[in-house]
Amino acid sequence: MVSEMTSKERVLAMLNRKPVDRVPVITGSTMVKEYIEKSRSSWPDYHSNAEMMVNTASLMHTDAGLDNIVLPFGMFIESMAIGLEVKMGRIDIQPSVRSFFSKPEEVKYDNFLEDKFVKTTLEAIKLAKAKYPDAAVTAFLVAPITLTGDLMGAENLSMLSIKCLHKEKQMQKMQDWLSIALEINRVYAEACVEAGADIIYYSDASASPNLVMPEFYYQVAVPAEKEIGDFVHHLGCPWELHICGDTVPIIEGMASTGADCLSVEQAVNMKEATKIAEDVPVVGNVTPLLMVEGTEEQIIEETRAGLDSGAKASMLGCGTPPLSTSDRLKTWVKAVADWSADNL
């Protein structure tokens, strides 16, 4: 019988493949409209105000009962810091990147850590660590293939990913872009770990089989994700890898990156994914929309199905939708606790 754990101990035990007192409940994002309003934060200030960000994000832990606190809101910080155009969204829509560079030489990142949004992330990590030492403070960063797509444009990434598999010159072009993304990844990850992040959560949405061929994933993306993952481990920090879409064709590659757990979405057959990943923990695949419009029965049924199929933590298939409601989030957390009581 494992004695009662703090949230941080519970999540780190899961990542280290050790016994837990109950299955962790974790998320990849925490920008929830109801909590923004409850914490009296205001758009768009909560993207550049560390106290507002922590006050909102922490409600996923203190009110809903999730085990981690994720910072920052959204996947735009890296792009904003190097000068790309970002549409800031609104209280219920996350920011999105709207421009890209024409060639790698245009990307300037010498002053990356001086950007106000990067500084906000680092300040928020420090603040969350101080206020909630028992929570697993998680830095949400953009992984190398997705950041490469932001740099060159997602459509250009998709086209070049096909060409580079057959032509050495095109492969060199891809590597020129990718090397810049990896350098930005390293600078940002090191700063987040120094600020106190317990975990780095890397979202590599553009590495999805929906956008690039599995052959590209194995030949180009796996070495890149392993390179940044090894760097994060060298800093003494565990890391998670999330890729969108039906990732079953690339689960073996995801597991080979050295990630401490793999996050998958609802399109993935959890039983098949856990079998392929072998001893690498797989989490996720609870349909995010259930947190917006799901019934109690639907939330309980899908949560238990994922755990019955071998998930080592319960997590939504992608980020938490901004229109999620606190009562549904609490139903989800309770479903995990009840399953744990029945099965651990």
Side-chain angles (χ1 to χ4, degrees):
M1 180 73 178
V2 179
S3 59
E4 187 172 345
M5 295 172 148
T6 66
S7 286
K8 178 180 172 181
E9 290 170 340
R10 186 175 297 121
V11 176
L12 292 180
M14 181 274 292
L15 295 175
N16 287 313
R17 305 166 203 185
K18 294 181 178 177
V20 292
D21 60 340
R22 70 158 173 80
V23 173
V25 189
I26 55 177
T27 182
S29 67
T30 50
M31 197 186 98
V32 173
K33 180 174 180 285
E34 181 180 326
Y35 285 150
I36 292 169
E37 293 170 341
K38 186 174 182 178
S39 64
R40 299 181 183 278
S41 296
S42 58
W43 181 89
D45 299 339
Y46 47 70
H47 288 298
S48 56
N49 182 311
E51 188 169 0
M52 279 190 191
M53 187 181 292
V54 172
N55 288 344
T56 298
S58 62
L59 287 171
M60 292 283 282
H61 173 63
T62 59
D63 186 73
L66 272 73
D67 290 299
N68 64 342
I69 296 176
V70 179
L71 306 158
F73 299 144
M75 298 174 62
F76 71 100
I77 306 297
E78 293 91 335
S79 296
M80 180 72 95
I82 55 176
L84 289 174
E85 179 187 352
V86 172
K87 186 173 182 178
M88 291 306 292
R90 63 187 195 199
I91 190 171
D92 57 349
I93 297 179
Q94 295 191 9
S96 55
V97 181
R98 294 303 177 95
S99 66
F100 53 86
F101 296 105
S102 299
K103 50 188 178 181
E105 293 78 13
E106 294 177 354
V107 186
K108 307 297 180 188
Y109 55 90
D110 290 347
N111 298 317
F112 181 85
L113 295 178
E114 300 305 314
D115 176 78
K116 72 172 183 178
F117 293 96
V118 174
K119 285 184 173 180
T120 297
T121 303
L122 302 178
E123 290 170 8
I125 291 171
K126 292 176 184 175
L127 183 59
K129 286 282 288 184
K131 294 182 70 173
Y132 306 102
D134 290 340
V137 176
T138 304
F140 173 25
L141 306 186
V142 178
I145 299 303
T146 303
L147 184 54
T148 298
D150 288 343
L151 298 180
M152 68 164 67
E155 290 186 6
N156 293 328
L157 169 70
S158 184
M159 289 189 288
L160 186 58
S161 70
I162 297 172
K163 293 178 182 177
C164 78
L165 294 174
H166 306 290
K167 294 183 179 179
E168 189 174 335
K169 184 177 178 181
Q170 297 298 325
M171 179 62 84
Q172 184 57 53
K173 191 175 178 180
M174 174 63 74
Q175 293 297 342
D176 290 344
W177 284 103
L178 190 53
S179 64
I180 294 173
L182 281 167
E183 188 55 31
I184 295 170
N185 283 155
R186 276 189 284 270
V187 170
Y188 197 15
E190 185 168 25
C192 289
V193 173
E194 287 179 353
D198 297 310
I199 301 158
I200 298 291
Y201 173 77
Y202 269 120
S203 176
D204 218 354
S206 295
S208 168
N210 294 350
L211 293 175
V212 296
M213 297 171 63
E215 185 182 357
F216 172 83
Y217 181 75
Y218 279 91
Q219 191 170 333
V220 178
V222 168
E225 290 167 350
K226 187 175 188 311
E227 182 175 334
I228 190 60
D230 287 349
F231 179 76
V232 173
H233 278 162
H234 175 71
L235 297 172
C237 187
W239 69 287
E240 304 170 7
L241 174 61
H242 172 81
I243 297 180
C244 299
D246 183 357
T247 48
V248 167
I250 61 170
I251 285 288
E252 186 176 359
M254 292 173 68
S256 74
T257 63
D260 295 289
C261 86
L262 311 180
S263 165
V264 299
E265 73 161 50
Q266 60 275 15
V268 171
N269 181 313
M270 179 60 81
K271 188 170 290 186
E272 190 174 1
T274 56
K275 182 180 179 181
I276 297 170
E278 298 184 338
D279 64 337
V280 181
V282 181
V283 305
N285 103 326
V286 176
T287 303
L289 196 58
L290 288 176
M291 298 302 120
V292 179
E293 58 185 32
T295 65
E296 181 177 346
E297 292 74 19
Q298 289 172 326
I299 293 170
I300 293 171
E301 180 181 1
E302 193 160 324
T303 299
R304 295 185 72 95
L307 298 176
D308 286 339
S309 297
K312 298 302 183 186
S314 194
M315 185 173 182
L316 303 183
C318 199
T320 308
L323 295 179
S324 298
T325 63
S326 60
D327 59 335
R328 291 184 174 87
L329 292 169
K330 291 172 185 175
T331 297
W332 171 35
V333 173
K334 184 177 184 303
V336 176
D338 290 345
W339 185 93
S340 298
D342 293 341
N343 292 277
L344 296 185

